[in-house]
Amino acid sequence: MDEENNSKYNSFKVVCLGDLFFISIMRTFIAKDFTLDSWEELEKYIQTLLNKELSSKEDFLQWLKDKSELDSVIEEDMAWRYIRMTIDTTNEDFTKRYQFVVSEIQPKLSPLSDLLNRKTIEQFWVTELETDEAYKIYFRGIRAAIELHRDENIPLETEESLLSQEYGAIVGKQTIVYNGEELTMPKAANFLKDPNSTIREEVYRLIIERRSEDSTMLNELFSKLVQLRTQIALNAGCSDFRDYKFKSLGRFDYSVSDCLAFHESIEKHFLPIAKWITQKQCDAMGKIMLKPWDTGVDPEGKPALKPFKNGDELLEKSTLIFDKLDPYFSDCLKQMKEGGFLDLDSKNGKAPGGYNYPLYESGIPFIFMNAAGAQRDVVTMVHEGGHAVHSFLSRDLALTGFKDLPSEVAELASMSMELLTMDYWNEFYSNEDDLKRAKREQLEGIIEVLPWIAIIDAFQHWIYTHPNHTIDERSEEWLAISKRFGTGLVDHTGFEEAKANAWHKQLHIFEVPFYYIEYGIAQIGALGVWKNYRNNSEKALVDYKNALKKGYTRSIPAIYQTAGLEFDFSEKVLKDLGGFVKNELLQFD
């Protein structure tokens, strides 16, 4: 990412690319040369908003637009600092610039943001505007923020942000040396698909040994985070951090009991299919149980799929796939490439994982990932590409708050894109057998990830309703929950410590607590989108795009309804979709 990229967002710009018209936001309230380098300059704009007299509905609407512009400027500045830091966790300047906002700006911003929220809700015209569903959703979120805000939590929230950042720095440094080559963890994971069992075991042991070096540090880091988060929740008048987080995440459309019921439905209707898949793997490999290094290999001993060589090829072929599905989708990726809004290849010092970061002022999102030439990277690319398309489709909404998506909707966009693009994965695979393998792995992955989602979510429910637990008790609970949702067909003898610490690789637990059940909800929704696509592709795509255009101007159930779905995750629905996917898998036998 070049430093000069930031300058283009301070002026008006139009780009025509196919059917895609990009109009960057022209600042009307914030000075074009403003940057978030000092609190004093930012405070002037906030005080202007706080002191502004509003004598009419028109005044209030303009005030909301000015506040929205300020929000977009602040959030995008923060986004670039985070993006640069995660691209190179070894760069001390990037880390300092990010930490400056976390430690110097956000603590001072928090109480004034609360005053802005209160001024918003106090206006006479709020009730009238709430007849519009978009404003009703928007004001609902503001009321929730007011309810949770406590000044005494500001330093705790700062400390939590800084501690959460440590996770990426620790994991980003994890590499192994194999055959004289230093490998990042994503690159090392490719060897776990090698047909040679000896190679797989060697690399697995190296990965586990390297991770074990940081296990004590990560356990202690997480214990600190649990105590901090619990105190934040208690300060806000919540019974525990789970209660606090459900409110702060804006989970207005489902409850804790719904999540627990969802776990049970996954256990009842998807875990048996996962066991069926794993048993087939055992049978094909002639084993009673698999070892940990056997779970990702092709059961017929075929080498790992290698769909591309580098990030450039990944982007090129993904763009072709998007173009076949819908030219608008490919135009989004082309715009991102033109502006340098992607960093795709895995490299030393880069934070783990992948994300799409919406940039509300520029109107173009940023995709970050750790591509290492594997099929899972193809899935990650189209997944994050689905998020990107969502950002493009919703960027013209009037207020920044209208674009601040709930994860259940955001992940519906990305997970649906994984499935919708499958018919065009031949861009990566000229060999028909390889194409079938890729599709089979995708569907098997969906079946297998749902129990994992249940594990991660159930684990967090336990953690934050038992905040005074010890590290040993935490490990015991993790193992118990893992057993509940496990197939029982993987032998971890000799690797008990690695199994007990397997949750360390899930960055959501450290960085974005309770953000994971959304993947399960959205995955069920995505299967529904794909099923609709199979029945009527044209209508399903129109419904999908129309849903994404809503941003967060409708309730989650209403957005799902626009996509042609019911926001229903009952046993009946999960049983039906589980059967649908299993029938699709049977076609590959």
Side-chain angles (χ1 to χ4, degrees):
M1 178 62 58
D2 297 328
E3 290 291 334
E4 60 265 29
N5 274 344
N6 271 340
S7 64
K8 74 174 75 173
Y9 311 131
N10 298 331
S11 60
F12 180 78
K13 179 180 180 182
V14 178
V15 175
C16 177
L17 194 60
D19 293 330
L20 184 69
F21 291 88
F22 162 52
I23 304 176
S24 68
I25 295 174
M26 189 195 312
R27 294 183 181 179
T28 58
F29 175 60
I30 308 296
K32 292 181 180 180
D33 60 352
F34 171 79
T35 55
L36 194 59
D37 292 325
S38 77
W39 167 248
E40 290 72 22
E41 290 301 311
L42 174 60
E43 186 181 22
K44 291 178 184 178
Y45 290 105
I46 299 173
Q47 290 298 340
T48 298
L49 289 170
L50 288 172
N51 296 331
K52 178 73 173 178
E53 290 190 14
L54 307 175
S55 57
S56 68
K57 178 182 174 183
E58 289 68 30
D59 285 348
F60 182 43
L61 288 172
Q62 183 58 52
W63 185 86
L64 287 174
K65 289 180 181 178
D66 290 343
K67 178 177 176 294
S68 176
E69 183 181 317
L70 178 62
D71 289 341
S72 70
V73 171
I74 294 172
E75 290 181 29
E76 179 148 333
D77 185 285
M78 185 66 172
W80 282 116
R81 293 169 192 256
Y82 179 80
I83 289 166
R84 292 192 178 97
M85 181 187 67
T86 54
I87 287 174
D88 185 2
T89 62
T90 67
N91 188 305
E92 293 183 4
D93 182 59
F94 290 167
T95 300
K96 287 178 181 177
R97 284 179 57 79
Y98 176 79
Q99 290 178 340
F100 168 76
V101 174
V102 171
S103 60
E104 299 296 327
I105 300 295
Q106 287 185 335
K108 297 173 182 175
L109 179 62
S110 182
L112 294 187
S113 294
D114 181 59
L115 292 178
L116 287 172
N117 284 338
R118 292 176 187 275
K119 178 167 182 171
T120 302
I121 295 302
E122 289 168 359
Q123 299 308 308
F124 173 80
W125 304 280
V126 166
T127 302
E128 180 183 345
L129 288 174
E130 283 183 318
T131 58
D132 182 330
E133 185 72 11
Y135 282 99
K136 183 178 180 181
I137 297 293
Y138 176 60
F139 292 136
R140 181 179 68 176
I142 289 177
R143 288 191 178 95
I146 292 172
E147 179 186 349
L148 292 177
H149 178 80
R150 299 291 189 279
D151 285 345
E152 60 266 34
N153 276 339
I154 295 172
L156 300 183
E157 290 164 351
T158 300
E159 186 178 357
E160 185 204 4
S161 294
L162 294 173
L163 283 175
S164 297
Q165 176 196 333
E166 289 183 21
Y167 173 78
I170 294 169
V171 178
K173 294 177 182 177
Q174 292 179 346
T175 62
I176 67 166
V177 176
Y178 186 65
N179 287 339
E181 181 182 1
E182 185 178 14
L183 302 170
T184 63
M185 288 304 183
K187 289 182 177 179
N190 287 340
F191 285 91
L192 300 181
K193 291 182 175 294
D194 195 289
N196 189 318
S197 178
T198 300
I199 292 175
R200 295 198 308 275
E201 181 177 354
E202 288 174 347
V203 173
Y204 177 81
R205 289 180 179 276
L206 288 171
I207 290 173
I208 293 305
E209 288 170 7
R210 178 61 187 89
R211 284 179 172 157
S212 69
E213 294 176 18
D214 295 330
S215 62
T216 298
M217 190 185 315
L218 288 174
N219 270 320
E220 292 175 352
L221 171 63
F222 189 66
S223 292
K224 292 178 184 177
L225 284 167
V226 171
Q227 293 309 310
L228 261 178
R229 290 165 178 167
T230 298
Q231 190 59 54
I232 288 170
L234 295 176
N235 288 349
C238 297
S239 57
D240 52 47
F241 187 71
R242 178 176 69 178
D243 178 34
Y244 174 89
K245 203 61 185 174
F246 266 66
K247 292 177 180 177
S248 67
L249 287 170
R251 290 182 175 172
F252 302 105
D253 298 310
Y254 62 97
S255 65
V256 168
S257 60
D258 291 326
C259 291
L260 300 180
F262 189 49
H263 300 167
E264 293 177 2
S265 294
I266 290 173
E267 182 180 13
K268 186 171 182 179
H269 297 295
F270 279 87
L271 183 56
I273 306 175
K275 289 181 178 178
W276 170 70
I277 292 170
T278 307
Q279 185 62 61
K280 286 174 60 182
Q281 179 96 345
C282 290
D283 294 343
M285 298 180 72
K287 296 188 173 187
I288 297 175
M289 296 183 72
L290 302 178
K291 297 298 288 185
W293 52 83
D294 295 328
T295 59
V297 71
D298 182 81
E300 298 176 6
K302 295 178 181 178
L305 293 168
K306 296 181 178 180
F308 63 93
K309 295 179 181 178
N310 53 45
D312 289 339
E313 185 181 355
L314 172 63
L315 177 59
E316 177 187 356
K317 292 183 176 180
S318 297
T319 303
L320 290 172
I321 287 172
F322 273 30
D323 192 62
K324 288 182 177 180
L325 184 60
D326 188 309
Y328 181 90
F329 299 166
S330 62
D331 287 344
C332 294
L333 293 183
K334 290 173 185 176
Q335 182 67 56
M336 295 171 73
K337 179 183 178 182
E338 181 182 281
F341 290 80
L342 307 112
D343 193 287
L344 306 181
D345 287 300
S346 178
K347 51 200 173 194
N348 292 350
K350 193 172 181 179
Y355 59 76
N356 173 86
Y357 211 130
L359 301 168
Y360 295 128
E361 186 177 16
S362 69
I364 301 178
F366 190 97
I367 289 180
F368 166 101
M369 61 179 288
N370 281 275
Q375 165 58 23
R376 70 174 180 275
D377 298 324
V378 173
V379 177
T380 298
M381 182 67 218
V382 296
H383 176 103
E384 303 304 344
H387 283 310
V389 167
H390 202 174
S391 294
F392 277 98
L393 284 169
S394 60
R395 68 183 179 185
D396 293 331
L397 294 169
L399 300 180
T400 300
F402 293 170
K403 310 170 198 177
D404 190 8
L405 304 165
S407 299
E408 300 83 358
V409 174
E411 298 303 336
L412 176 68
S414 56
M415 290 183 160
S416 295
M417 191 67 83
E418 295 177 20
L419 293 164
L420 293 172
T421 56
M422 282 202 305
D423 288 344
Y424 306 108
W425 285 2
N426 57 311
E427 290 293 340
F428 286 100
Y429 300 104
S430 56
N431 181 286
E432 185 65 24
D433 288 339
D434 287 345
L435 178 60
K436 288 181 179 180
R437 273 183 66 193
K439 291 181 178 180
R440 188 194 73 221
E441 286 183 11
Q442 171 67 10
L443 297 181
E444 288 180 346
I446 289 172
I447 294 295
E448 292 166 347
V449 80
L450 283 167
W452 176 256
I453 289 169
I455 291 172
I456 297 297
D457 193 56
F459 184 49
Q460 295 192 89
H461 280 261
W462 182 85
I463 284 170
Y464 293 108
T465 54
H466 299 77
N468 297 318
H469 63 263
T470 65
I471 290 175
D472 286 342
E473 288 171 339
R474 187 162 66 216
S475 295
E476 289 173 7
E477 186 63 24
W478 168 258
L479 290 171
I481 295 172
S482 298
K483 183 177 181 180
R484 174 188 171 189
F485 292 100
T487 64
L489 294 171
V490 181
D491 177 16
H492 288 89
T493 302
F495 300 96
E496 290 81 4
E497 181 182 352
K499 186 178 181 182
N501 290 324
W503 59 274
H504 286 178
K505 63 185 178 182
Q506 195 67 54
L507 68 85
H508 300 75
I509 294 176
F510 287 85
E511 296 185 1
V512 278
F514 278 102
Y515 172 34
Y516 211 62
I517 190 67
E518 294 91 341
Y519 288 105
I521 291 172
Q523 186 65 80
I524 297 303
L527 289 173
V529 170
W530 185 45
K531 189 177 180 183
N532 291 343
Y533 183 77
R534 283 298 191 86
N535 294 329
N536 186 331
S537 60
E538 184 176 347
K539 182 179 185 304
L541 273 179
V542 169
D543 290 345
Y544 171 72
K545 291 171 69 175
N546 284 338
L548 271 51
K549 288 177 183 177
K550 301 287 186 187
Y552 197 21
T553 61
R554 298 291 184 274
S555 68
I556 297 174
I559 292 171
Y560 271 58
Q561 185 178 23
T562 303
L565 309 168
E566 290 186 39
F567 192 68
D568 180 1
F569 308 104
S570 62
E571 284 196 23
K572 179 181 181 300
V573 172
L574 267 67
K575 181 180 180 180
D576 176 61
L577 288 175
F580 168 66
V581 178
K582 185 172 183 179
N583 285 336
E584 292 290 328
L585 281 169
L586 287 169
Q587 297 180 26
F588 298 117
D589 288 348

